[in-house]
Structure formats: structure tokens, C-alpha cells
Amino acid sequence: MSSYLDLGGCRKRRRGGERVFKFKTFGENGCPVEFDGSFRDNVKAIVEYGHLEINLCGNGVFSWSFQLEVHRHPPLHVVLFIVEEQIQASSSSSINLHCKHCQYVGWGHHMMCNKKYHFLLPSKDTVAACFNCDETSFDDPNPEKGKFNLVELKGHIMHGVFHSNGFGHLLCVNGMEMGSDQLAGYQIMEFWDRLCTGLQARKVSLNDTSKKRGMELRLLYGVAYGHPWFGRWGYKFGRGCYGVNQPIYQKAIEAIQGIPLCLLNHHLSISNNDISVIFSRYQALSDHSMVTLGDLFHFMLELRSRLPKENSIDSCNPSTVETNCRWSPKRVEAATRVIVEALKKAEFRWVSRQEVRDAARAYIGDTGLLDFVLKSLGNHIVGNYLVRRCLNPVTKVLEYCLEDISTVFPNSEALIINNSKAKPRCKITKVQLMKDIAYLYRHILKDQKATLSTGVFSAIPMATRIILDTKFLVKEYTEELSMKGNLNCSNGKTFKLLCTVISRSDEIDEALKKPLPPYECVCLKENATFDELKQEVEKNFREVYWRLRNFVVETIVNLSVKGSDLVMGSVEMGQKLVFIGSNEDQIGMDDGGGSGIVDCLCGAKEDDGERLISCDICEVWQHTRCVRIPNNEEIPHVFLCKQCEEKIVFLSSLP
């Protein structure tokens, strides 16, 4: 796929004077519009700068396009499409209308919105599936039959969708790893993040299934950084599958990050010497001691970000002892050998700095020379050994030990001195680094052998499974529609309130205990009355929610006022108010999309997007994985849960 869309090839599409925006700044304030209103106001403002497309996604569906310049030399452009999807145009079935992405992430209690806004960066192949650029254009009033709906196609570079209440979902990001020839994943994410910030979205979710070279990034980055790859843009734990919650997820991250490398190396080196070689190779590259598995993966990923694509770095990093000092290189080398021999006698155990210094003084009388060499030797290579230095976390004393790296650099010289003539004995390329990361990922994190099923290492398979079961991430952009700057509107002496609604048919006390519809920001003049406030609340909620298109506000919870009373003075600026009202359709406020009861063995009580099976007697849904039906097997035609099966067995045993 290519992110370059040569729309100029469409003969009827050529339009003189169509504005081109900068990809790197689009979505910032002022590009293309000042984002100073609510989410819906900002969407209305931004589409005014787009080119209106006809019949792009079917009759009656409005859509706009924006030409975005990624860079000028060589010329590269992408096209952003904004598609407004109205609920009436989607379906007449409320079950179909309910957003499954909201259900999976825990927003299933939200009412259905009147509109969705799709933001798409289509690939060249996606556009080709929709249009025949030689014969038709986006503006053709009589499009050919059989054309596909752009929103429904797969393979977009980016596809995000917002509900009209400001809650959204990032459905896909396909960077270079997934087919985009020009846009990397981080560029797409920065673009999306600017859009969400500028539009003043409330919360945005995503389903993290990102991979690189077969490695699940939520696991790899979780071990290295304590958060998934999307965490770079503020996305955090939203909801776990199979009953995983935030504390369980955090403990899994900490457990797998804290696995001691020394124990892991000792345990695995018996059956897999390659892992020990990799450990030593990157310890030699590091300028500090790596203690845990998290330290190692963090260093390797940081090193990858610094390595040029084709170049490499020396694995001796750079050498052992600095020779720019008042002692001759010969004396420095002699002192270094004495210290290494003293550490050899310790049989590769950790010894204190004072203990090493005292042992070396029997041969080197110059304590200043010894102090200089000990300071310079930390985490450097001498001959076939890596001299490691670390601060003991208990005694707070510097300690040293030797690590044999002859298997890592078998042809190493006796001693490398830091000067311009010294030749590197090994080079690490980016390709080799990625191979090493993939090897450790596969043999430690993903495909654990029996050697990692006992003792402290038994935590690795369990923690890995918990992290991989945490897919749904959420970023909160504006908390309860907190306004930028202050609560004053820009148009004169006005102020804002945060309002939500409940149905008159519900018990007030019980309704207030349940999750309420998200608060909407209502802007009023300073002399507005409560009757005018009620009208604004009705207008806002009718505009946002499909179920409330005939909603009528009646009273305000815990506020006894007359309709002619002034709002200012009776309530504080920015105060949250709950309004009670009714629908002419007599439809309840809660129209969640759940079609059955979920009560799984793992503790899940709601549909989390994983495969479910329903008991044919009690009709309760459970995960197929939890009832031991492998994902590669079809769901059986008849299924009984454990409780119903036990009841049948019990009844059959009765006389």
C-alpha cells in the first residue's frame, strides 16, 4: 500500500485553487481553524474548510476532503476524509446501531448518538477500490453501481471515529510495518493526537493489537517501559479482557520487569547458551549495570532508536581504561591486570571496592593509580572479561565482579586501550539488534519452556498472559469537558454550566447511583433564566442523542427554582446540574447493546470482545477460552455450563 494518493490522475477531480494544508501542523489551533468551542462546534468549524464530496459514501451521507502535504521535496500528499454518518442512515435496529467498541471498552451505558464522524486517511489501494479514476470522480452525481463505501473498506492508513458526544475510537493505524510506504506509525499517531486535542474530544479508546516482526508491542513495550507503545501519546489501561483489571495489570508489569537477570541467566544458560551470549553482549555495550529483565529490554529498545538504519556501533563501548592521565599506558595496563586477577580469585562473586583495592595494593603501591583504574573499569571489557560495577542497594557500597564473555567475543585482544588506533572487535547492527530482541522475546516472554515454569520464573507465563489480555486503552483528552483557560465564553458576558439528564420514569435515587450520560457544556448569557437554561439543555441533548430526540426537561435535581429566576446567582459558574425529563416515545434512558447475561469463570460480567458461548439451558454467556474450547475449534452446537451440567447429573441420580 502507499500513503501517496495521486488524485490529480482523476480527470474530473482536478480543481484549481483547492487549498493544501501541512500534514505536520493540521489540527493545531489555527490550522485550519481556531478550536475554541465544544467538540460538535469544532467539527462543524473544521469541515467548512474541506471540499464537499458527493456520493462518496452513499446518498445522503456528507463527506469532506482535505489535501495534506507531508513534504514538498519529493512531493508527497495524503488526503483526509471526514464522513458524517447519521444514525437514521445506518439501520433501524437499535442492536445494530449500538457501538460495539463502546461496549468492549466499558462505555456500554452510553446512549446512542445521532451522528458519527469518521476521520480517514485511505491508502491508494483503498481509494482504487472505491473509484475508477479514469472515468469518474468523487463529484460524479451518478456514481457507478457496485462502488464500495469508503468507511466500510479495510486497509486504511488511519481510521478513527467519534460519536457526537465527543467519545471516540481509533480503529486502525497502519504505518510502514503494515503497508504504508511513506508514513510511519508514530507520524500517524501524532497526527491523530493533534486532531483529538484540537477538536476537544473527551475520551478516545483503541484496541491495541499492534505488532512488529511478529512481536506484540503491548508486551514488548510493557516490559521495557511499563506501558504499551501507545502510552507515548498518553493512552493508558482502559479495560482488560478475561476479568483483568488495573491492579492485576500493573502487578503483572512489575513482576515481569523485575525478574533478576543474574538468576535468569544462570537458569537458562544450562539449556540455552545463546541467551547468555546476548545478555553479555548488551551488558558490554551499556555504560551502567543492567540488573533486571526490564533494564535489558529498555536498553535494547533505546539503543534501537539511536542506531542509524545501516550503521553500527562498537560492542566494546568503547574500551576499558582512559589513557589521558598522568600515568603511562604501561602502568595503567599493569594496574588493570592486577585488579582483574584479584577479581578472578573472588570466583566471579561480587566483592566490595575496598576489598579489591586492598588485594591489589600487595602488588601496586600507588593508591592514586589504583583509585583511577577502579573508577575507569566499571562496565568495561578487559581481555575475555567484562568488569561489572554496581552499587549494592542494601549496603550502599560499590561492588565489582567479573563476567566471562569469551563466548561473545572469542577473538578479543588481551586489553583494549581507549585511543584512536584501537580497532573495534565487534559491531552491532540494527538488523542484529532486532534479531536479538526477537530471540529474547520468543524464548523468554512468548514460548516459555519447562525451565521457566518453576520458582520465581513461574510468574513470567502468567504475567505475559495478563499483559496480552489487556488490549483496550483509553486516553482522556478533556475531563468532563473542562474548558480551556476559564469558564467564560468568548462571545460577551456569558458563562458555562455542565449538565446531564435522567428520565422521569426512573427512581431518582437509583438513577443517580448508575452511570449518568456524559455532562454537556451549556453556554448561557448572564441574564438567562432557568426556562432558557432548560431550553438549551433540551436543544443540546436532542442534538446529541438519538433516544432523546423528543426529550422534554421538567425539573432540576436538588434545586427548587422558578422558571423566571435568573441562573446567575442561583448556581456557580461551572457547576454540574442534573435535569429530570421525559420522552414522548416513553423510551428508557438505558439502551445498552448487551443482548444477554455475561457471567464467566474469569470474573467478566460484560462482553469484552472475546469469543463467547451461551449455555443452552440458562443462556448465560462465558468465554470459550475459559470453558476450554480452543480458538481453533468451532463452537459446539450444544453447550452446557458447569452448573447446569451438575444439576442435570444430580437430577438424574434421584429415584
Side-chain angles (χ1 to χ4, degrees), residues 146-338:
K147 284 187 179 180
F148 297 98
N149 188 321
L150 182 63
V151 171
E152 297 174 351
L153 290 176
K154 306 296 183 181
H156 296 295
I157 297 171
M158 186 201 79
H159 184 184
V161 60
F162 293 103
H163 301 288
S164 51
N165 62 0
F167 286 77
H169 314 282
L170 179 57
L171 303 183
C172 78
V173 172
N174 291 320
M176 292 181 180
E177 185 76 12
M178 299 300 294
S180 172
D181 292 340
Q182 301 295 336
L183 288 177
Y186 76 90
Q187 292 176 300
I188 302 170
M189 280 304 302
E190 288 172 357
F191 174 75
W192 170 253
D193 198 51
R194 284 197 306 273
L195 280 177
C196 295
T197 303
L199 293 171
Q200 294 194 42
R202 297 192 189 184
K203 294 182 180 180
V204 176
S205 77
L206 59 86
N207 184 358
D208 184 4
T209 57
S210 55
K211 293 183 179 181
K212 190 173 186 68
R213 301 192 181 187
M215 295 181 286
E216 301 276 1
L217 292 189
R218 63 187 182 279
L219 175 58
L220 181 62
Y221 276 74
V223 176
Y225 297 102
H227 58 73
W229 181 75
F230 291 100
R232 296 166 60 182
W233 294 275
Y235 285 85
K236 301 178 181 178
F237 178 94
R239 192 184 195 187
C241 302
Y242 301 105
V244 174
N245 56 30
Q246 170 79 41
I248 292 175
Y249 170 73
Q250 196 58 43
K251 287 180 180 178
I253 289 285
E254 294 169 358
I256 204 166
Q257 279 186 315
I259 298 292
L261 276 182
C262 56
L263 295 180
L264 194 60
N265 187 19
H266 175 74
H267 198 72
L268 293 175
S269 60
I270 301 172
S271 58
N272 190 336
N273 190 54
D274 291 338
I275 290 181
S276 180
V277 169
I278 294 174
F279 284 178
S280 299
R281 178 181 299 147
Y282 292 96
Q283 182 62 72
L285 281 168
S286 175
D287 58 359
H288 64 277
S289 181
M290 293 184 289
V291 179
T292 65
L293 187 61
D295 293 339
L296 176 61
F297 275 103
H298 183 273
F299 174 75
M300 295 176 81
L301 289 182
E302 286 294 303
L303 180 60
R304 174 183 171 273
S305 66
R306 298 196 304 267
L307 267 179
K309 192 168 185 179
E310 300 299 333
N311 296 347
S312 58
I313 64 171
D314 302 341
S315 62
C316 48
N317 190 38
S319 354
T320 310
V321 182
E322 176 68 52
T323 59
N324 186 19
C325 60
R326 60 190 177 93
W327 294 278
S328 67
K330 190 173 182 178
R331 292 192 64 192
V332 170
E333 182 175 345
T336 301
R337 294 186 185 282
V338 168

Side-chain angles (χ1 to χ4, degrees), residues 404-449:
D404 188 351
I405 59 170
S406 57
T407 56
V408 183
F409 309 120
N411 298 320
S412 59
E413 300 133 2
L415 177 66
I416 296 294
I417 305 297
N418 186 22
N419 55 49
S420 59
K421 296 181 180 179
K423 295 182 179 179
R425 49 180 122 178
C426 182
K427 286 181 178 290
I428 298 294
T429 63
K430 201 164 192 176
V431 173
Q432 181 62 49
L433 174 61
M434 288 306 300
K435 286 182 179 179
D436 291 341
I437 292 175
Y439 190 87
L440 294 181
Y441 176 92
R442 185 169 64 253
H443 288 86
I444 297 178
L445 301 179
K446 194 64 176 172
D447 301 324
Q448 300 90 359
K449 304 300 181 183

Side-chain angles (χ1 to χ4, degrees), residues 404-618:
D404 188 351
I405 59 170
S406 57
T407 56
V408 183
F409 309 120
N411 298 320
S412 59
E413 300 133 2
L415 177 66
I416 296 294
I417 305 297
N418 186 22
N419 55 49
S420 59
K421 296 181 180 179
K423 295 182 179 179
R425 49 180 122 178
C426 182
K427 286 181 178 290
I428 298 294
T429 63
K430 201 164 192 176
V431 173
Q432 181 62 49
L433 174 61
M434 288 306 300
K435 286 182 179 179
D436 291 341
I437 292 175
Y439 190 87
L440 294 181
Y441 176 92
R442 185 169 64 253
H443 288 86
I444 297 178
L445 301 179
K446 194 64 176 172
D447 301 324
Q448 300 90 359
K449 304 300 181 183
T451 53
L452 291 179
S453 61
T454 58
V456 66
F457 306 112
S458 62
I460 295 179
M462 184 179 295
T464 295
R465 179 170 164 177
I466 290 171
I467 295 170
L468 291 177
D469 286 341
T470 304
K471 301 177 184 177
F472 296 104
L473 310 177
V474 172
K475 178 173 180 179
E476 189 166 322
Y477 282 90
T478 52
E479 183 179 1
E480 293 293 5
L481 280 181
S482 59
M483 278 60 70
K484 294 179 180 177
N486 53 50
L487 290 167
N488 291 321
C489 295
S490 58
N491 53 340
K493 295 182 179 180
T494 54
F495 67 102
K496 294 180 179 180
L497 296 173
L498 299 176
C499 307
T500 191
V501 297
I502 57 176
S503 175
R504 183 186 60 183
S505 60
D506 298 331
E507 289 291 335
I508 303 301
D509 293 338
E510 292 298 321
L512 292 175
K513 293 178 183 178
K514 298 178 181 178
L516 299 173
Y519 284 85
E520 291 293 325
C521 179
V522 176
C523 189
L524 298 169
K525 297 180 180 179
E526 64 175 1
N527 60 348
T529 64
F530 277 96
D531 281 338
E532 292 172 326
L533 172 60
K534 291 177 181 178
Q535 291 174 5
E536 283 296 316
V537 171
E538 288 177 0
K539 176 185 173 183
N540 275 269
F541 280 85
R542 286 177 179 181
E543 183 180 342
V544 175
Y545 296 107
W546 185 63
R547 294 289 195 188
L548 302 183
R549 57 195 183 278
N550 297 314
F551 186 74
V552 177
V553 171
E554 297 175 352
T555 59
I556 306 174
V557 175
N558 298 328
L559 192 62
S560 179
V561 292
K562 297 179 180 178
S564 59
D565 291 346
L566 293 178
V567 177
M568 182 173 284
S570 300
V571 296
E572 297 180 0
M573 187 180 299
Q575 183 174 335
K576 294 180 178 180
L577 299 177
V578 180
F579 292 77
I580 303 173
S582 60
N583 272 318
E584 291 181 4
D585 296 336
Q586 297 298 318
I587 299 175
M589 302 285 283
D590 183 9
D591 58 3
S595 58
I597 299 174
V598 177
D599 188 7
C600 190
L601 301 172
C602 65
K605 301 297 181 182
E606 294 182 71
D607 187 0
D608 55 14
E610 299 298 333
R611 195 170 71 152
L612 297 170
I613 187 171
S614 173
C615 175
D616 288 302
I617 294 179
C618 66

Side-chain angles (χ1 to χ4, degrees), residues 371-384:
D371 291 338
F372 170 77
V373 174
L374 283 170
K375 180 181 178 181
S376 304
L377 270 179
N379 299 317
H380 282 77
I381 298 172
V382 180
N384 291 327

